[in-house]
Amino acid sequence: MKPLSVVLVFLILVIPLVLMGDTREDLRVFNQDLYKRYSDDFQSAVDDAGDYLSRLEMQPTTTAVHYGRERQLQLDQDVLSVFYSNLAMKFGLENNQTEMNNLKLHMPALVMFGYSGYRLVTLDDTATVSGKGELKPVSWPERPYYYKLQNGNLLYFTLDDTARVYDTGSNEFYEGEYSALAAETNLSPLTSIELFREVRQSTITSLVENDLATAINRHLELVKRMGLSIQFTLPRGLQEQSIQDVGIMAFIQGYPLPGGELLDAYSLGSGAVMRRKVLIGTRNSSGRHIAYGESCVPAGAAVIETLFDPEEAARKGYFIEDCSVR
């Protein structure tokens, strides 16, 4: 075979392989970027809902108002509406109830952390396998952050160093910060503030983990009744989380992305710091809604409206970009 023919054969064989390799690499990078975008969008929706919940929880805490069950359920629904509306906007599922049902099916439970307890949210089976109807979120009764002391008394934690002890013998309650409680009643084995805080964290995560296991099993039955096959496990890293602020924990598993990847994401969003300020609501060239701080609005941005706090921005489904807090 002539040298030129050998070169031509080589090029005919190699060039398609190189092009295929480049195409695979481009596809891999595209899918990787797509996965990160959806993960970030999920985290952003959880953060926004956590901010919103924090503001709602702050009202009864600062005014000593205790909401009744019906009012609390309405507040839970408000927070969930913010969360699901944001997810629909960020995942491009607005006005598509069937696809929203599919998205919800990949989120077996959410946890709303309040000051003195948490509420689990699961789905009620009202939708059909064809996607008609809507999967309704249901709030479980609030579970307090409780721990049984060595003497049989019950210790009820909050998210700070204030706690309440129920004396099972005298049928009395003691309430106050750790130092005051330790002087008034026996808190053994919590013999130091450091141990008190350590046990508080492990108690909260253990209670949540146990309830999530029950919720996941319940959700698997729901999915099975709808003729679907989706596997769920407890989110990894839950025991390492430090729950210190009012907020929301959510996770999604096995959600199919446009590129064929399956999204697994776990997010904890809280609203410990939220300052009231003017935000400018905009829409960028790709249709994404972003609320900027007054000094952060990029040139040429399509301004939609003025928003007066992050709560309003979150409720309307905006991403929040505020360069003044970075």
Side-chain angles (χ1 to χ4, degrees):
M1 184 179 289
K2 295 180 180 180
L4 182 59
S5 298
V6 172
V7 171
L8 289 175
V9 170
F10 175 78
L11 291 176
I12 290 171
L13 293 173
V14 170
I15 289 176
L17 293 176
V18 171
L19 292 176
M20 286 174 61
D22 289 344
T23 300
R24 281 198 296 267
E25 178 62 17
D26 289 344
L27 183 61
R28 187 192 67 80
V29 172
F30 172 81
N31 286 337
Q32 188 178 55
D33 291 344
L34 190 68
Y35 191 97
K36 184 178 185 306
R37 197 199 92 190
Y38 273 85
S39 295
D40 290 346
D41 285 352
F42 185 74
Q43 178 68 63
S44 178
V46 175
D47 286 340
D48 289 346
D51 288 338
Y52 189 64
L53 175 62
S54 180
R55 284 182 169 274
L56 294 179
E57 286 277 342
M58 194 181 304
Q59 296 171 14
T61 301
T62 57
T63 61
V65 173
H66 297 282
Y67 293 139
R69 175 65 176 161
E70 288 187 7
R71 175 60 173 154
Q72 186 63 61
L73 285 173
Q74 181 57 53
L75 294 178
D76 291 352
Q77 291 301 314
D78 288 347
V79 174
L80 291 171
S81 178
V82 167
F83 177 63
Y84 288 128
S85 295
N86 280 354
L87 272 183
M89 179 176 289
K90 291 164 184 174
F91 279 39
L93 304 178
E94 298 162 281
N95 304 316
N96 191 334
Q97 192 57 59
T98 299
E99 286 303 315
M100 271 306 295
N101 281 340
N102 180 48
L103 176 60
K104 289 177 182 178
L105 282 172
H106 289 81
M107 295 185 291
L110 294 87
V111 183
M112 295 186 181
F113 292 101
Y115 176 68
S116 57
Y118 66 90
R119 297 180 297 282
L120 205 65
V121 179
T122 55
L123 295 176
D124 194 13
D125 187 4
T126 60
T128 65
V129 70
S130 63
K132 294 180 179 179
E134 182 179 357
L135 287 166
K136 298 287 187 182
V138 177
S139 295
W140 295 23
E142 182 176 272
R143 183 184 288 277
Y145 308 127
Y146 73 94
Y147 173 80
K148 192 170 185 178
L149 298 168
Q150 282 183 352
N151 56 13
N153 291 344
L154 296 178
L155 174 64
Y156 294 91
F157 292 108
T158 64
L159 292 180
D160 57 28
D161 292 338
T162 300
R164 195 160 52 112
V165 173
Y166 173 62
D167 189 315
T168 56
S170 63
N171 196 30
E172 293 181 324
F173 281 95
Y174 302 91
E175 188 170 359
E177 292 193 358
Y178 172 80
S179 56
L181 278 176
E184 196 170 9
T185 186
N186 182 7
L187 297 181
S188 184
L190 311 185
T191 53
S192 68
I193 184 63
E194 290 78 19
L195 189 55
F196 173 87
R197 290 168 179 166
E198 180 182 329
V199 171
R200 178 181 65 204
Q201 286 302 310
S202 63
T203 295
I204 293 174
T205 53
S206 293
L207 288 170
V208 169
E209 198 171 60
N210 289 337
D211 277 350
L212 277 180
T214 301
I216 287 174
N217 287 334
R218 180 181 181 276
H219 190 78
L220 284 170
E221 289 298 319
L222 182 154
V223 169
K224 193 182 300 181
R225 286 198 303 271
M226 298 183 72
L228 303 174
S229 178
I230 308 173
Q231 295 301 314
F232 298 99
T233 58
L234 282 171
R236 284 178 287 182
L238 180 58
Q239 281 291 344
E240 287 73 44
Q241 287 292 345
S242 179
I243 312 298
Q244 298 183 9
D245 301 304
V246 170
I248 283 183
M249 191 206 78
F251 63 102
I252 186 170
Q253 292 181 352
Y255 179 69
L257 299 181
E261 299 285 320
L262 298 179
L263 177 64
D264 290 326
Y266 164 65
S267 300
L268 177 65
S270 64
V273 179
M274 185 63 68
R275 293 184 295 171
R276 185 175 181 85
K277 59 173 66 181
V278 172
L279 295 169
I280 308 301
T282 71
R283 182 174 56 249
N284 65 16
S285 57
S286 64
R288 178 168 291 190
H289 291 66
I290 304 175
Y292 292 97
E294 288 182 287
S295 59
C296 313
V297 182
V303 175
I304 301 173
E305 59 186 323
T306 299
L307 305 153
F308 291 96
D309 59 29
E311 176 187 341
E312 182 185 5
R315 188 172 62 250
K316 293 183 176 181
Y318 284 91
F319 286 85
I320 298 175
E321 294 285 346
D322 189 356
C323 57
S324 64
V325 298
R326 293 178 181 175

